[in-house]
Amino acid sequence: MKHPCISTAIALGCLFSACKPATNNEATQANAQAFLDAYNQKYQALYYEDNLAQWQLNTRIVAGDTTQQQITDAADKAFADFTGSKENIDSAQHYLKDTAALTPLQVRQFETILFYAGNTPATAGDVVARRIKAQNTQTAALYGFRYTIDGKPVTSGKIDEILATSTDLPLRRSAWTASKEVGKALKVGLDSLQNLRNASVAPLGYKNFFDYNAREYGMSEDEVLQLTRKFIAEVWPLYRELHTWARYELAAKYKQPVPAYLPADWLPNRWGQDWTALVQVEGLNFDKILKERGVTWMAKEGENFYSSLGFDSLPATFWTRSSLYSVPVDSPFSKNNHASAWHLDLNRDVRSLQSITPTTEYWSTVLHEFGHIYYFLSYSNPNIPFVLRNGANRGFHEAFGTMMGLASLQKPFLEGRNLIPANTKTNDTLKLLQEALDYVVHIPWGSGVMTEFEYQLYVKKIPQSAYNRTWWDLVKKYQGIEPPTERGEIYCDAATKTHINDDAAQYYDYSIANVLVFQFHDYIAKNILHQDPHATNYWGNKEVGNFLKKVMEPGASVSWQSLLKTSIGQDMSAQAMVDYFAPLMTYLKHVNAGRNYTLPEKI
């Protein structure tokens, strides 16, 4: 039932301007709830419209056609106008003056409403609209870019394949260089976003866009840097060993002198964020089986995995509305190839955007993205208001998806799914090395390069003329990587990375997620499965499913710090990751004995 003062769902501001003042906590809570009910209803409707437009923008990109971008701009603006309206800001601030009179769930909603308003405040004038348009222009330019090698068109997937498999150094350099050409066109747009993002959050008192995003974690910009730098320091001794090992291994592979720093085009990833392709673990590559079973089987098996844990089947619309498979190279349109999960209506319309390929690597990606989907569905319950239907923090979402990816590649799990033969003999140390080349290597990249670049961009306000120099200084410091050729300021290599343009100032989410992965996985392995964390099988264990549901279902309705403490009894720390890779550390120290280290002992 609506509060008497509300004639329509959008008439939100009257709740404290026209209604009689609350005389006790019960009346205050009733007024507050009426406001929140109306807000949540309108919030969901506009959120859905905006996501539908974004979905089209990302799944059907036609070169030269700006129609969908205009539709998306309008939907973005409508959503921004609502969340940032003066009425909503005034209302949230009014109720938060008397938090003792509200329920904890109401307080949390008002705090979230005010936080969302901070990104799109009406008091910023046309800055918000200009920022939205600038970001969508960047997105379309990045994902609509046509890559070429020697004048011939190639997909981004082909570039990735060359870097992952080829030993032809000239071809590798051509592929790596081709992957950076889009940065030229994105540089001016990034300059606009830098200024517009900072300006859009200023009216509600945020120092800059980096500070704004940090506040979602309940941290200041400096506290985020302290946390991410702590992660780097914790894993640095192991990363230093991995870096030394890679320099010598790759020099031998390419028959070149051992370099002081890793040439970027020697690595199997465009940004050097993932080195797993440097190692092939015999017995654990099941590409052939996946090709036989096909990409549709991979997708359905992802659902089967979660069903085995006790989760419900996915909504039928997931299968009819998702974009799970690659667009043909001769297609008249392209799409965003970055795998992602979408919660379009904050309820049951869940979708995934992928380009599933029958590879061992993509097997874990499928389970990762489905992890997001099941997290969405878990907190889409009547107890969680729409505005709080999110992860406990942004890192939690990535953690659960990534943890499932990790678990899906452990030997007992694979044997149980007949993806590898029973009692397969493997080199466990090599398997640990391959995992470290993913999870550990990512920390200096995500916590170091990406986070520190965005800190420089938004906090230090580096000029456009210093983008590329700043980027490569950070890459060398944190990753120990150098470009294969001189990279002048005509380029903007930072902007070739997805999250610099869209979903910005949040890359430390992945670092936080990687840390949480090992904390949660260690807890599940030791306390629920009673298995070695290096050799688990989640499949079919309803107790694991119940534990995950318990952590997922509250969404953002509770403090993430308290949720972490009550679920696994720990604060956030990389110690579980360090412990997991302890056997590998011993191995690498032996292998690297007598080799020259480039990176310092401490970062």
Side-chain angles (χ1 to χ4, degrees), residues 421-441:
N423 301 314
T424 295
K425 302 297 182 183
T426 59
N427 185 322
D428 293 338
T429 300
L430 204 59
K431 177 66 164 58
L432 270 182
L433 175 59
Q434 188 178 59
E435 290 174 341
L437 294 175
D438 179 2
Y439 296 104
V440 176
V441 162

Side-chain angles (χ1 to χ4, degrees), residues 149-402:
I149 295 179
D150 297 330
K152 298 178 181 178
V154 293
T155 64
S156 60
K158 181 60 179 179
I159 288 174
D160 291 339
E161 179 185 335
I162 291 170
L163 294 177
T165 63
S166 177
T167 57
D168 183 337
L169 282 179
L171 177 59
R172 295 185 64 83
R173 181 161 299 184
S174 295
W176 185 88
T177 302
S179 75
K180 303 303 177 192
E181 286 299 303
V182 64
K184 294 179 181 177
L186 295 172
K187 188 163 191 172
V188 173
L190 181 59
D191 181 55
S192 296
L193 281 176
Q194 175 187 20
N195 296 315
L196 290 170
R197 282 170 171 160
N198 275 347
S200 68
V201 300
L204 282 191
Y206 297 101
K207 292 185 289 185
N208 52 68
F209 193 59
F210 192 98
D211 175 55
Y212 170 76
N213 280 277
R215 298 293 174 179
E216 189 171 358
Y217 279 92
M219 298 179 181
S220 67
E221 59 187 33
D222 291 335
E223 287 172 332
V224 165
L225 284 182
Q226 289 170 11
L227 180 66
T228 53
R229 288 170 181 173
K230 172 178 172 287
F231 292 161
I232 297 172
E234 287 173 326
V235 305
W236 188 255
L238 178 54
Y239 182 76
R240 183 172 180 259
E241 297 293 338
L242 291 168
H243 182 269
T244 302
W245 172 86
R247 285 168 46 236
Y248 280 82
E249 290 294 317
L250 288 174
K253 178 179 180 179
Y254 299 129
K255 298 179 174 58
Q256 298 292 317
V258 178
Y261 293 89
L262 285 165
D265 59 338
W266 283 21
L267 292 164
N269 174 273
R270 283 180 264 171
W271 304 279
Q273 72 182 78
D274 181 352
W275 304 354
T276 52
L278 297 183
V279 173
Q280 296 299 322
V281 182
E282 188 175 344
L284 292 183
N285 183 303
F286 44 97
D287 289 4
K288 182 179 179 181
I289 292 177
L290 292 176
K291 287 178 182 177
E292 292 172 354
R293 297 186 183 181
V295 293
T296 302
W297 178 88
M298 290 173 65
K300 291 300 293 184
E301 192 72 351
E303 179 184 39
N304 291 338
F305 169 54
Y306 289 93
S307 295
S308 82
L309 300 179
F311 289 92
D312 293 336
S313 298
L314 290 170
T317 53
F318 172 83
W319 299 106
T320 58
R321 296 171 179 173
S322 290
S323 177
L324 297 172
Y325 312 112
S326 298
V327 173
V329 68
D330 60 349
S331 171
F333 64 89
S334 60
K335 74 174 187 178
N336 179 346
N337 287 304
H338 185 75
S340 55
W342 295 58
H343 198 189
L344 275 85
D345 66 344
L346 295 172
N347 198 21
R348 302 290 293 173
D349 190 349
V350 291
R351 309 180 193 182
S352 185
L353 171 56
Q354 300 185 50
S355 294
I356 299 176
T357 54
T359 64
T360 302
E361 181 181 5
Y362 219 111
W363 163 254
S364 62
T365 298
V366 170
L367 269 67
H368 176 117
E369 297 306 332
F370 279 43
H372 287 301
I373 297 296
Y374 277 97
Y375 201 168
F376 295 152
L377 294 172
S378 293
Y379 54 63
S380 294
N381 64 74
N383 297 321
I384 309 302
F386 289 116
V387 76
L388 296 179
R389 292 188 180 181
N390 211 329
N393 68 31
R394 299 192 307 259
F396 265 71
H397 241 299
E398 286 302 317
F400 286 118
T402 303

Side-chain angles (χ1 to χ4, degrees), residues 520-533 536 538:
F520 278 109
H521 176 70
D522 186 76
Y523 180 88
I524 289 171
K526 294 177 179 177
N527 295 278
I528 299 177
L529 296 173
H530 305 290
Q531 297 171 357
D532 180 351
T536 63
Y538 287 20

